[in-house]
Amino acid sequence: MKTSILFIGSIFLGSVLINSAFAGTCEIKYTRTACPGQESISFKKCKGKASCSKTKKISEVEKCKALAVKACKNNRHSITKSKVINASFDGNELKASNGNSDFCTIYEKAAEEFNQC
């Protein structure tokens, strides 16, 4: 019984170490353009600045790209005019499927969520 528990524990620990070893750093870079007069509210998510970055450990480049596209979502139409979202994985710049470094250029709802001030 003890041998089985040790074996299962070893497999679990090995799996955790392997997954951690292969996780990369996904950096999402946000640049917002505020609607006129809405800069303080629009930039609040970046501590008052138009641009900032957030990082996350992630296992695959494609997942990082998906996070970048998801970051384009804009629910505050009268506050944030538009966004530019760039991404890198382990320090390497990523491109959207159209070859552009701005992932919002492939965001399906950009026309309805941007430039609505």
Side-chain angles (χ1 to χ4, degrees), residues 88-101:
S88 62
F89 187 77
D90 283 343
N92 298 307
E93 180 184 15
L94 300 179
K95 301 275 187 181
S97 58
N98 63 359
N100 198 307
S101 61

Side-chain angles (χ1 to χ4, degrees), residues 35-89:
C35 291
Q38 299 297 320
E39 291 80 6
S40 64
I41 298 169
S42 180
F43 301 162
K44 188 174 182 178
K45 292 185 177 185
C46 284
K47 298 181 181 177
K49 297 180 182 178
S51 298
C52 63
S53 295
K54 296 180 182 178
T55 59
K56 183 175 183 173
K57 289 287 184 188
I58 201 157
S59 61
E60 299 172 20
V61 170
E62 293 306 315
K63 289 181 180 181
C64 185
K65 289 180 177 183
L67 278 177
V69 174
K70 186 177 178 182
C72 294
K73 185 177 179 89
N74 182 22
N75 291 327
R76 305 180 313 161
H77 305 152
S78 62
I79 296 169
T80 300
K81 181 178 180 179
S82 63
K83 294 181 187 178
V84 172
I85 302 294
N86 305 107
S88 62
F89 187 77

Side-chain angles (χ1 to χ4, degrees), residues 4-31:
S4 297
I5 292 172
L6 285 174
F7 178 72
I8 292 170
S10 296
I11 290 173
F12 175 75
L13 181 60
S15 173
V16 168
L17 292 174
I18 288 171
N19 286 335
S20 296
F22 289 108
T25 301
C26 175
E27 180 180 12
I28 305 295
K29 301 167 195 158
Y30 299 77
T31 302

